[in-house]
Amino acid sequence: AQSVAQPEDQVNVAEGNPLTVKCTYSVSGNPYLFWYVQYPNRGLQFLLKYITGDNLVKGSYGFEAEFNKSQTSFHLKKPSALVSDSALYFCAVRDMYQGGKLIFGQGTELSVKP
Amino acid sequence: GAGVSQTPSNKVTEKGKYVELRCDPISGHTALYWYRQSLGQGPEFLIYFQGTGAADDSGLPNDRFFAVRPEGSVSTLKIQRTERGDSAVYLCASSFKERVYRGLRIYEQYFGPGTRLTVT
């Protein structure tokens, strides 16, 4: 079975500092990994994905993620956090055996304080 | 362009009633997914359509839940005899179908704003 885990329910960062939101995965076969962000009372917005190729993936709003096969991790990063980055972040893995449904982690609440 | 839209944005219904939730995907997207998100949780898969057919309905919790996509565009999620445990945000997503020919292309799913269902 494929799964992702987000070990931190909440991450607190000061504005201007780098941020990391952690994600580990468990898959059989090649991992296809995604990060989404959810603002209050809104749907999920796509940030970035890893399919193949470079381990460092760049996405929207200055976010990037590092794929590490040996550690089965796909951590989301940003060099300098903004207060407006405060939101709920979800890591997901795509199930390639039954139509490509996404399997989500439980989410990490990011709080960026001025 | 227009994103995925869902109606209604909020639905309050009494236990035992029937409800329909509608999803309008992005034009040209052949793949359509329904997910359910409970408070404090990540979205959980319900059903996947490729065109008009339900290619994977393994996430539907029981036979009270049903979904259709008769013309390969708009989809309706139908819940019969609603229970309080059905209360959640129902999310719809659409994407292009993944392509294998001439190189693998995996497309991201674009989500609608959701329908918040409350069963009293």
Side-chain angles (χ1 to χ4, degrees), chain A residues 71-113:
Chain A
Q71 296 185 5
T72 62
S73 67
F74 188 56
H75 300 333
L76 181 70
K77 301 183 179 187
K78 188 173 183 181
S80 178
L82 300 173
V83 172
S84 57
D85 292 331
S86 298
L88 191 55
Y89 289 80
F90 290 97
C91 181
V93 63
R94 185 181 170 106
D95 185 331
M96 288 303 293
Y97 297 105
Q98 284 190 307
K101 66 188 177 189
L102 292 175
I103 300 166
F104 287 87
Q106 75 275 23
T108 298
E109 184 81 40
L110 174 67
S111 177
V112 182
K113 294 286 196 276

Side-chain angles (χ1 to χ4, degrees), chain A:
Chain A
Q2 304 189 99
S3 64
V4 293
Q6 295 180 241
E8 302 156 318
D9 289 337
Q10 184 158 11
V11 170
N12 298 309
V13 177
E15 187 175 30
N17 283 0
L19 70 86
T20 298
V21 182
K22 296 180 180 178
C23 172
T24 58
Y25 66 88
S26 174
V27 302
S28 52
N30 294 322
Y32 303 116
L33 299 159
F34 298 77
W35 276 101
Y36 283 83
V37 60
Q38 187 174 37
Y39 296 99
N41 299 315
R42 295 175 64 178
L44 281 77
Q45 295 180 30
F46 169 74
L47 283 178
L48 50 79
K49 65 184 177 185
Y50 173 82
I51 304 302
T52 187
D54 290 342
N55 290 340
L56 187 64
V57 178
K58 294 191 182 295
S60 306
Y61 313 120
F63 283 93
E64 56 191 27
E66 186 171 9
F67 172 71
N68 187 316
K69 188 173 183 178
S70 63
Q71 296 185 5
T72 62
S73 67
F74 188 56
H75 300 333
L76 181 70
K77 301 183 179 187
K78 188 173 183 181
S80 178
L82 300 173
V83 172
S84 57
D85 292 331
S86 298
L88 191 55
Y89 289 80
F90 290 97
C91 181
V93 63
R94 185 181 170 106
D95 185 331
M96 288 303 293
Y97 297 105
Q98 284 190 307
K101 66 188 177 189
L102 292 175
I103 300 166
F104 287 87
Q106 75 275 23
T108 298
E109 184 81 40
L110 174 67
S111 177
V112 182
K113 294 286 196 276

Side-chain angles (χ1 to χ4, degrees), chain B residues 11-24:
Chain B
K11 177 71 176 178
V12 180
T13 190
E14 292 179 349
K15 179 176 178 295
K17 298 290 188 182
Y18 168 83
V19 296
E20 291 190 350
L21 311 179
R22 176 188 167 109
C23 171
D24 259 288

Side-chain angles (χ1 to χ4, degrees), chain B residues 67-83:
Chain B
V68 296
R69 194 185 184 198
E71 298 179 355
S73 179
V74 170
S75 177
T76 304
L77 179 66
K78 308 180 180 191
I79 310 175
Q80 298 177 324
R81 304 183 304 279
T82 52
E83 299 177 357

